[in-house]
Amino acid sequence: MSGKGLVTPGPTMKARSKVAVEDPQLQAALSNLDLRLFTAGVVQAEHPEWKDRVAEIRRETLADLDGWIDKLEAKLLSLGVVVHRAATPEEARAYILGLAQREGVRRVVKSKSMATEEIDLGSALEAVGIESIETDLGEYIVQLADERPSHMITPAIHKTLGQIADVLSKEAGTELPVVREPLTAWARDKLREKFVAADMGITGANFVAADTGTIVVVTNEGNGRFCTSLPRIHVAVVPVEKVVPRFEDLGVLLPTLVMSATGAKMSNYLSMVTGPRREGEIDGPEQLHVVLLDHNRRVLLGTPYEDMLGCIRCGACLNVCPVYRTVGGHAYDSSYSGPMGKILTPLVTGGEEGRDLPFASTLCGACTEACPAEIPLADLLVRLRADLRTPGPVVVPGAQKPAPPPALPVGPVGHSDEHPRKPGEGFATAVTRITVPTRRAPWSQRRMGFDAWSRLWAHPSAYRASLRVGRLGAKALRPRAGWVQRAPLLRAWTDTRDVLVPSGPTFRERWAARERGEERW
Amino acid sequence: MPRVALFATCLVDAVSPETGVASVRLLEAAGCEVEFPAAQTCCGQPAVNSGEPEAATRLARHFVEVFEPFDAIVAPSGSCAAMVHHWYTRLLDGGWRQRAQAVADKTFELSQYLVDELGRPDLGASLGGTTVTVHDACHGLRNLGLKSSARTLLETAGAEIIEMVEPEMCCGFGGTFAVKYEEISAHLADDKLDHGAQTGARYLTSGDGACLMHLEGRRRRTGTGPECVHFAELLAGGLP
Amino acid sequence: MTTQGAVTDAFLFSMAANQCAVFGPNSPAVALDVIVERAREHTADGTAVALPIGDPTLDELGVEAALLAAGVTLLRPDDADWYSGLAVAGVGITSSIAAVAATGNVALGSGVGLPRATSLLPPAHVCVVRASQVYATFAEAISGLLHAGPLPSALTWIGGPSRTGDLEMRTTFGVHGPKVVDIVVLAD
Ligand code: SF4
């Protein structure tokens, strides 16, 4: 999931956050936006009934995800779509690269997609000499700057207009003015050349309807229309949870997605693609391929993390998040940032990436409140903090025992009417990445500390003694009315704030004094 | 006369006993008979939020045992009351879960108890001429639905409330987050204190001592923002 | 019908709010005049008008004949230079198969003679909408389309001129698609 240059470097979220907070340009870009006022609670206020319906549809889908995937696959095949089930990003990349090479593809145009970020497809294509152009203006800017998107709806949100003009001027080879319209016009012409010359369009999908096989791509700019209309091959990379049972479900899902994402009533463009170009039509892709990506998602079904698969990628949780709003998206060093990214990243990478992310939260719950899919994000963050104690893949309480790897070879072949999928084929390698808990969490220093602390404080006398010891220790700091400016052991606090330490009598001592009549309140 | 068990919280017990004293005075002004179960310690929130549910469970059991005999349990902290409401039933199993639910059903945050449960917004306190801005501490707001009760108490006492920008935005405390990510934490405190300062109010108040300790600690360092005081102390200061 | 009238008015209002030029509801004769007038304006610099073949609404109105009578250059999907011509055409004309008042958007279906690119490549798009096909809500339109027959291979929803919020989150128009969208509502 990595590979892209970052604006905010550093090995840990902690280190990157420090850089982000101290970066005046980034802080200027972030403070330009009133993200929260922009989207928070619009759906909840204007259409409270949508949220319940969305959550209901997502739960219904997840309750039988494999069943809906099978239905979708059958429908897609009947439309002449080639379907490939990819258990891992490697498999998805191998399939797409194989296809591109077989078809002699030289240039690819991409429409903004979290899934292709997740599998780092752009770099993989470039590595084999296929030009891959991001066509969403924000993504294009980010690509030219060799960075990664910092917000899933507005990828270049971390950049000021001046920085954007610099990036585009460099590509143009001439000084472009720091004015929106001419910058946009330049990018329009530049990208138009790329669209016309591209052999393959790659998109994600916001939803895919199982009953009609319709792939939905939401954009404002129209780049999604180009990618799905002009190149002769269209590949949609679709994480499995994007399936929705019925086309009619889009009636509520799309307005909710857009309103939660941008506060608008509807996005400017929606492309609903049902199969490749039909007989007699003169445009549209001749070949349509759907890559269904699992990447440790199906193994979450039936676990407390199942809810996370209900995410519709609206970004509302990012917009309301105090941490996101302070550090921006790059501090997460992951395709997915903000509250949903802190949960999704360690889960889909099988615990290989983003293990520190769940701790970078105040647990304020603004995300949970904002989420139109009713995902209990703050609760999941708390759970993950516990489940990540065990090294390696995330230990998910209640996960199914991994299925044995299939005997059938899973190669870079799509399934179509000529090559039907054999039972059990596809997705199989994914389930081996998450282990079933067989052992308890190891005894880290943190765990030992909290264990000892809880044992002590479960005994009132030990608790009282510890308060007295604390007060004795604090005495050395010479508190003034309880406040201390510097405390060697509390530097993480006192570097930025004064600290209140135990000094005078505890509350219980004062209560006792009052009981004895020594004190009047 | 309602019999109320005060859960002072470990933070109030150790470092801000004034908040506890003020809570008792307010409850008594509302006509309650207040008890302080001496066996009480901590609700266990630091452990659950640190990913140590086993340790939290141990303290949750202790809390349930200490407080189940009482009719009502009142805490001057939305966060600790929310811990009991939100997490105890998720941490405990079987019979313990039922006992936890029963305890949660009678556990209240202070302003919630006075205003919503007792219906006693008027405690006879007088805060005429005092200007206050209110920070909605997160767990009380989002897990207990607290929004108006502290404001009602303050307004009934005659205080003038001047709302800040985004009163529902987190102050950046977040338990261990405050020391793990101190840069973000301090940044968020500055935002909150700036918003408080913009109101021109004399005090910034809230129902959570931990948020206030964090904000006041930052204010003492930077010199920006209104004085941060628990609403119970403000109100008790206005009692005759 | 008054309810449909209110829905149509709401639709025109939404589209205008989305920065479209809106016309109507008009009788067929007036609608045709508007279409020709808009087409001429968008091609005043001598560029061509891209017009689909076999679009039921446009054929019923007699758009082709009227445009030819007005002396504009037509580009048709069966022209050998359709694509190269489209890249420099001044306007594309289409009809819609559904429209929504609440969300302010129109749905276009692809088909034989109805290429996707007609409403995509030229800098202007004139879209003819039948008042009877305007739905109050997006959900109603989705159901209506589903039950009207098989879905087209490309069902494209358009709200207005192409736009982006990527530059410091202020709306800027004309990124990839048309910079101008005219909506002509036909009372039927
Ligand atoms: S978790 Fe919820 S709020 Fe966040 S992006 Fe997903 S659906 Fe939107």
Side-chain angles (χ1 to χ4, degrees):
Chain A
M1 287 170 83
S2 53
K4 290 277 171 57
L6 295 174
V7 166
T8 309
T12 59
M13 172 91 187
K14 162 91 178 155
R16 295 184 299 265
S17 299
K18 194 164 156 39
V19 176
V21 169
E22 287 162 7
D23 176 346
Q25 293 259 34
L26 176 63
Q27 290 301 320
L30 288 172
S31 66
N32 267 343
L33 334 157
D34 213 336
L35 280 173
R36 183 188 165 88
L37 300 181
F38 168 67
T39 59
V42 187
V43 168
Q44 284 82 340
E46 293 191 15
H47 297 283
E49 73 285 0
W50 288 1
K51 193 168 149 164
D52 292 340
R53 183 66 193 130
V54 166
E56 205 180 330
I57 293 168
R58 301 304 288 144
R59 289 192 188 116
E60 180 195 353
T61 312
L62 297 174
D64 181 24
L65 186 61
D66 281 350
W68 293 116
I69 293 170
D70 287 346
K71 281 204 183 72
L72 170 68
E73 184 181 63
K75 183 66 200 180
L76 288 170
L77 293 178
S78 78
L79 290 165
V81 179
V82 186
V83 181
H84 179 70
R85 296 191 180 205
T88 62
E90 295 75 35
E91 281 184 38
R93 284 196 303 262
Y95 176 71
I96 297 166
L97 290 181
L99 173 69
Q101 285 169 330
R102 260 199 325 277
E103 294 288 336
V105 169
R106 308 190 55 83
R107 180 178 283 160
V108 168
V109 280
K110 285 180 71 228
S111 174
K112 186 166 73 61
S113 135
M114 300 306 297
T116 56
E117 275 292 318
E118 179 180 332
I119 65 173
D120 204 6
L121 185 57
S123 319
L125 289 164
E126 297 280 352
V128 296
I130 297 173
E131 187 188 10
S132 161
I133 311 285
E134 292 290 349
T135 59
D136 172 89
L137 180 56
E139 289 268 353
Y140 181 56
I141 293 164
V142 161
Q143 185 185 32
L144 290 179
D146 195 25
E147 291 169 10
R148 102 179 348 160
S150 66
H151 188 284
M152 59 179 135
I153 308 293
T154 42
I157 201 169
H158 59 287
K159 283 205 161 343
T160 59
L161 195 63
Q163 291 174 317
I164 290 169
D166 286 348
V167 170
L168 295 182
S169 297
K170 200 169 150 224
E171 180 70 10
T174 161
E175 190 83 2
L176 297 170
V178 189
V179 182
R180 288 186 178 79
E181 286 69 25
L183 290 175
T184 307
W186 179 83
R188 175 194 169 99
D189 292 346
K190 184 81 185 171
L191 287 168
R192 187 63 74 92
E193 288 165 20
K194 309 281 182 189
F195 281 125
V196 175
D199 317 287
M200 180 185 271
I202 301 183
T203 68
N206 295 84
F207 301 105
V208 188
D211 60 345
T212 59
T214 305
I215 300 160
V216 185
V217 179
V218 178
T219 69
N220 269 328
E221 300 177 1
N223 56 317
R225 294 181 63 195
F226 274 99
C227 293
T228 60
S229 301
L230 298 190
R232 67 190 158 85
I233 304 169
H234 171 200
V235 179
V237 182
V238 183
V240 286
E241 77 273 22
K242 298 284 180 170
V243 60
V244 298
R246 294 157 298 263
F247 183 77
E248 283 193 278
D249 297 330
L250 301 172
V252 63
L253 288 167
L254 284 166
T256 307
L257 167 65
V258 174
M259 198 174 271
S260 301
T262 65
K265 290 198 168 78
M266 186 43 77
S267 64
N268 201 42
Y269 295 114
L270 297 171
S271 296
M272 298 189 173
V273 178
T274 307
R277 168 194 306 200
R278 292 182 195 160
E279 206 182 316
E281 293 185 347
I282 61 164
D283 61 9
E286 290 155 26
Q287 294 180 32
L288 176 54
H289 298 253
V290 169
V291 178
L292 292 169
L293 176 71
D294 182 358
H295 199 200
N296 293 322
R297 288 172 167 80
R298 286 163 56 259
V299 75
L300 301 174
L301 297 168
T303 78
Y305 298 107
E306 176 178 306
D307 285 342
M308 197 58 231
L309 299 179
C311 173
I312 60 173
R313 310 282 189 273
C314 71
C317 56
L318 281 65
N319 298 344
V320 299
C321 176
V323 173
Y324 181 87
R325 288 171 61 185
T326 305
V327 299
H330 288 154
Y332 298 78
D333 188 24
S334 162
S335 310
Y336 301 99
S337 62
M340 55 80 73
K342 290 178 212 177
I343 299 164
L344 212 52
T345 301
L347 290 176
V348 299
T349 62
E352 280 174 27
E353 291 175 29
R355 298 182 75 90
D356 56 342
L357 296 185
F359 290 89
S361 167
T362 65
L363 304 176
C364 72
C367 47
T368 305
E369 188 179 48
C371 178
E374 294 181 357
I375 302 170
L377 293 152
D379 286 2
L380 295 182
L381 285 168
V382 172
R383 271 184 192 283
L384 257 184
R385 289 177 179 190
D387 288 334
L388 281 168
R389 289 180 298 183
T390 310
V394 178
V395 172
V396 181
Q400 296 303 300
K401 243 199 154 34
L408 298 158
V410 184
V413 220
H415 305 291
S416 59
D417 280 346
E418 297 95 79
H419 305 281
R421 189 172 56 85
K422 300 180 189 74
E425 192 180 353
F427 292 149
T429 56
V431 278
T432 56
R433 308 254 323 252
I434 291 191
T435 56
V436 176
T438 50
R439 59 210 151 112
R440 300 179 55 177
W443 286 94
S444 66
Q445 222 177 349
R446 180 183 95 204
R447 182 154 188 215
M448 287 190 285
F450 273 101
D451 183 72
W453 169 77
S454 66
R455 281 177 199 281
L456 269 181
W457 280 27
H459 294 288
S461 54
Y463 164 82
R464 283 195 302 272
S466 65
L467 292 200
R468 284 195 298 270
V469 171
R471 183 169 50 196
L472 218 60
K475 217 174 191 162
L477 302 170
R478 295 208 215 109
R480 294 172 55 175
W483 289 95
V484 169
Q485 288 199 335
R486 297 265 174 273
L489 291 175
L490 301 173
R491 278 201 51 196
W493 182 283
T494 59
D495 277 353
T496 50
R497 288 148 295 191
D498 289 7
V499 67
L500 194 55
V501 296
S503 51
T506 60
F507 174 76
R508 64 184 57 235
E509 286 165 352
R510 294 195 56 187
W511 175 271
R514 186 198 197 206
E515 295 279 275
R516 293 192 302 270
E518 296 164 12
E519 198 174 316
R520 286 172 57 88
W521 292 356
Chain B
M1 204 193 278
R3 280 175 68 243
V4 175
L6 178 74
F7 173 47
T9 77
C10 58
L11 188 80
V12 165
D13 195 7
V15 297
S16 35
E18 267 322 311
T19 308
V21 172
S23 305
V24 173
R25 292 184 62 204
L26 296 180
L27 286 164
E28 288 177 351
C32 300
E33 188 186 319
V34 182
E35 300 189 39
F36 178 77
Q40 66 179 272
T41 63
C42 167
C43 66
Q45 186 176 192
V48 78
N49 287 355
S50 297
E52 298 298 339
E54 298 84 356
T57 304
R58 194 172 281 129
L59 291 171
R61 289 209 181 104
H62 179 71
F63 185 99
V64 168
E65 276 174 342
V66 170
F67 283 100
E68 64 191 344
F70 297 92
D71 301 335
I73 302 126
V74 175
S77 158
S79 192
C80 303
M83 170 74 188
V84 176
H85 277 263
H86 189 76
W87 282 108
Y88 278 17
T89 50
R90 288 169 169 80
L91 287 169
L92 297 168
D93 287 328
W96 275 105
R97 177 174 297 169
Q98 280 165 12
R99 290 168 68 184
Q101 186 63 56
V103 167
D105 289 344
K106 53 186 179 179
T107 299
F108 305 93
E109 182 273 341
L110 177 64
S111 66
Q112 181 189 33
Y113 184 70
L114 292 169
V115 176
D116 301 340
E117 192 64 14
L118 287 187
R120 286 291 310 266
D122 188 357
L123 306 170
S126 126
L127 289 176
T130 306
T131 53
V132 190
T133 191
V134 182
H135 161 55
D136 293 293
C138 300
H139 295 161
L141 174 73
R142 301 203 175 85
N143 287 341
L144 300 178
L146 305 182
K147 179 72 192 176
S148 59
S149 47
R151 287 178 175 78
T152 304
L153 290 171
L154 290 162
E155 273 175 342
T156 309
E160 185 194 344
I161 296 178
I162 312 173
E163 295 291 353
M164 68 173 103
V165 177
E166 294 196 88
E168 299 185 357
M169 176 79 170
C170 178
C171 70
F173 171 66
T176 50
F177 178 85
V179 288
K180 269 192 165 74
Y181 287 91
E182 71 266 27
E183 295 88 1
I184 306 178
S185 183
H187 195 279
L188 290 166
D190 287 344
D191 285 349
K192 180 62 70 181
L193 290 166
D194 284 344
H195 294 159
Q198 282 158 21
T199 66
R202 169 103 169 74
Y203 299 106
L204 187 160
T205 196
S206 167
D208 251 304
C211 305
L212 291 165
M213 179 179 73
H214 157 75
L215 289 171
E216 177 67 11
R218 183 67 182 167
R219 186 186 78 89
R220 284 166 180 261
R221 185 63 54 92
T222 63
T224 301
E227 190 180 334
C228 306
V229 186
H230 196 286
F231 73 82
E233 291 179 50
L234 282 179
L235 283 164
L239 285 175
Chain C
M1 206 169 83
T2 48
T3 6
Q4 185 60 50
V7 170
T8 308
D9 286 350
F11 166 68
L12 287 166
F13 185 83
S14 294
M15 297 311 285
N18 286 353
Q19 311 293 319
C20 298
V22 299
F23 303 89
N26 291 315
S27 66
V30 177
L32 189 60
D33 283 348
V34 173
I35 295 165
V36 171
E37 189 268 322
R38 297 309 293 163
R40 288 178 60 147
E41 188 173 323
H42 293 310
T43 56
D45 51 358
T47 49
V49 174
L51 188 70
I53 297 172
D55 180 293
T57 303
L58 299 182
D59 286 357
E60 192 187 305
L61 284 172
V63 174
E64 179 182 6
L67 287 171
L68 286 172
V72 299
T73 318
L74 286 189
L75 178 70
R76 312 304 298 273
D78 57 359
D79 290 345
D81 63 346
W82 163 257
Y83 263 111
S84 52
L86 201 58
V88 292
V91 62
I93 303 182
T94 71
S95 70
S96 72
I97 55 172
V100 184
T103 45
N105 51 355
V106 296
L108 274 53
S110 61
V112 176
L114 311 172
R116 295 152 171 81
T118 317
S119 60
L120 184 59
L121 290 176
H125 173 206
V126 174
C127 183
V128 183
V129 179
R130 287 172 176 272
S132 59
Q133 286 176 342
V134 181
Y135 293 86
T137 66
F138 184 75
E140 287 168 28
I142 284 285
S143 296
L145 286 170
L146 182 67
H147 296 117
L151 293 169
S153 52
L155 177 62
T156 305
W157 295 83
I158 299 172
S162 162
R163 65 195 63 190
T164 182
D166 279 334
L167 310 181
E168 286 187 346
M169 293 178 78
R170 305 274 143 72
T171 304
T172 314
F173 288 98
V175 197
H176 296 302
K179 297 172 192 171
V180 179
V181 177
D182 296 335
I183 300 293
V184 182
V185 175
L186 181 64
D188 63 341

